Amino acid sequence: MKGALKVVNRLLFYLLVAFVVVYSVFPFYWAVISSFKPSDALFSPDPSFLPLPFTLDHYKNVFLQANFGRNLLNSLVVAGGATLLSLVLGVLSAYALGRLPFPPKNAVLYLVLAMTMFPQIAVLGGLFLLLRGLGLFNTHLGLILSYLLFTLPFTVWVLVGYFKGLPRELEEAAYVDGATPLQTLLKVMLPLTGPGLVTTGLLAFIAAWNEYLFALTFTVGDSVKTVPPAIASFGGATPFEIPWGSIMAASVVVTVPLVVLVLVFQQRIVAGLTAGAVKG
Amino acid sequence: MLTLRQVRLAWLLVLPTLLAVVLVAGYPLAQVFYWSLFKADIAFVEPPEFVGLENYLFLLKDPDFRQALWNTLKFTLISVSLETVLGLAIALIVHSSFRGRGLVRTAILIPWAIPTVVSAKMWQWMLHDVYGVINVLGVKLGILSQKVAFLARPELILPAIIAVDVWKTTPFMALLLLAGLQLIPEELYEAASIDGASRWQQFWSITLPLLTPALVVALIFRTLDALRVFDVIFVMSGVNPTTRTLAVYNRQTLIDFQDLGYGSALSVAILVIIFVFVVLYMRTLGREALK
């Protein structure tokens, strides 16, 4: 009797697990199979749950008709640029904040932390004026600089944690060998923060890759526009005809690399997210 | 000697970051405060005119602002509550050991990895009034008596948007709570079992109290995020007044209406509202968490 109850409990539990998995994955699955269905199968009152019949037309449309390739390239440049810049600035300042005698350390850390509190919208007008004033409106550099607002504080916080965790002896050994502090940073400490750099870099890249508000506001036309605003405004031949197949194809193209990155670096991303969150 | 050199180096290393902070946060913020006291358009077609607190007085009487504030609070309250409950449930599920747990943990990360714009588009397609899979399945399974235009009916559009936000951000909540669960020592449960406490009693007297710090951090994070929500609202319903939140209204004022003065006053108001929430949280929940 008790054994039977246990089996039923276990079964119910696995049912619950299955439900959670379907809930999490199904929308993405539906986007993927929608992107492979020809339009008449897509707009059917009884859609199939497999990508049948199968076509690559939507992918061809996305890359041939729209400027989607250009948007993808822009996203790579902007997200990559913002990530690199935050890593360089972040490593330098995090080393100082984590390892060097530095009186107003906490003041600087709180200043950086305060930056994360700003909602992007609250500085939108000011940034708009700044970028226009500097001639950086509708440029990659303008977007990259504005993305520092959210990538930099995060990078600094997580990297400070990494630097603080490194053993003191390594640094001292380097000093004894006559290395300057800068050499110590570049030759001894930096290689050891590799995992930290990968984690923060990935999270910064994902945040920048997904950003919408600044990209929408600080760019016009396809020459600089990144993927999120491009997908949001994807239009059909007429205003009444929404090209759902192409929108889903574009969505899959921008999401698959992220999903793969997340799956590969899952452990690290979770560690980085929770570390950043608990400290922030 | 080394110390002095180190202090100098420290300043040198921090300088670029400080410059970046001033450039992208400090200076734009100062601009927003400054222009909130002016009547000005963002292209400066007309010469700006100093009007003191007039923009703020107008804000207090602006029905559109009040509606946007109400929409924002409704969105925040409902979505954060749902995410907390769902996130806790999912965290508890993936915390217990079972076969395939690693795979399940990976699967629940997928919504988090998908850009908000993309998830909004995916759900728009799933919620399509004729061909959407939710309508098709709903009718087939007998949950819906007929197909529903979720994104066209004023009373359904906010719930639909909230559903998308909950789907997208619950994984983050679950991750933070899972991290908290993993800090609770296993022995406490063993001791409680020996004393004859039921699973439910263990949850209320061990799990929940010890999870409070993680819960507070997660709540603060999600609330601040929800208060400034823009992407999912703007993609799914544009500047539609029934769902327009503070951030959407603010961008519309600044960019579409080109109203730098009033738009800046709105930005300051959003900052103040968020600040009030931070202080409230710190005072009530923060103290609780620190005990």
Side-chain angles (χ1 to χ4, degrees), chain A:
Chain A
M1 206 39 219
K2 230 179 173 180
L5 196 68
K6 225 173 174 181
V7 170
V8 170
N9 261 337
R10 207 69 199 148
L11 222 63
L12 283 176
F13 179 78
Y14 274 107
L15 217 63
L16 201 62
V17 170
F19 180 77
V20 167
V21 172
V22 170
Y23 171 70
S24 304
V25 178
F26 181 76
F28 184 56
Y29 173 75
W30 194 250
V32 174
I33 64 167
S34 295
S35 72
F36 288 121
K37 285 182 191 171
S39 292
D40 51 339
L42 201 57
F43 299 105
S44 139
D46 191 18
S48 111
F49 281 75
L50 292 170
L52 295 171
F54 181 92
T55 176
L56 287 173
D57 283 355
H58 301 305
Y59 288 87
K60 278 186 208 141
N61 278 342
V62 161
F63 283 100
L64 294 181
Q65 285 180 4
N67 274 324
F68 193 65
R70 179 78 224 186
N71 301 133
L72 266 179
L73 191 70
N74 293 334
S75 270
L76 266 177
V77 170
V78 170
T83 305
L84 268 180
L85 194 54
S86 334
L87 281 181
V88 171
L89 299 181
V91 162
L92 297 180
S93 57
Y95 176 65
L97 294 167
R99 308 287 319 189
L100 294 176
F102 187 52
K105 184 184 300 188
N106 286 334
V108 174
L109 274 173
Y110 281 117
L111 194 70
V112 175
L113 180 64
M115 201 168 150
T116 59
M117 298 279 185
F118 291 161
Q120 276 178 280
I121 187 73
V123 289
L124 189 79
L127 266 175
F128 185 90
L129 295 176
L130 178 76
L131 292 181
R132 205 176 52 192
L134 294 173
L136 293 175
F137 183 77
N138 202 31
T139 63
H140 288 132
L141 183 61
L143 266 194
I144 291 174
L145 286 179
S146 68
Y147 283 6
L148 289 180
L149 181 73
F150 52 89
T151 55
L152 185 59
F154 171 80
T155 313
V156 171
W157 270 87
V158 177
L159 287 177
V160 167
Y162 267 94
F163 276 117
K164 272 191 181 153
L166 295 178
R168 176 110 220 130
E169 295 77 33
L170 282 168
E171 218 174 358
E172 276 160 6
Y175 286 146
V176 171
D177 289 343
T180 66
L182 198 60
Q183 284 173 325
T184 315
L185 165 61
L186 295 177
K187 299 224 168 106
V188 181
M189 311 299 268
L190 196 57
L192 291 170
T193 53
L197 290 181
V198 172
T199 307
T200 44
L202 258 169
L203 289 170
F205 186 86
I206 291 176
W209 182 266
N210 295 352
E211 203 282 333
Y212 178 56
L213 177 61
F214 284 176
L216 176 73
T217 310
F218 301 152
T219 59
V220 282
D222 275 318
S223 62
V224 184
K225 204 159 257 348
T226 57
V227 164
I231 288 189
S233 64
F234 243 51
T238 72
F240 303 103
E241 182 191 323
I242 299 175
W244 284 110
S246 301
I247 295 176
M248 290 305 115
S251 300
V252 170
V253 171
V254 290
T255 307
V256 163
L258 289 189
V259 170
V260 171
L261 278 178
V262 168
L263 299 191
V264 171
F265 291 98
Q266 186 210 358
Q267 299 272 326
R268 279 200 185 149
I269 286 181
V270 172
L273 271 182
T274 43
V278 171
K279 277 172 200 144

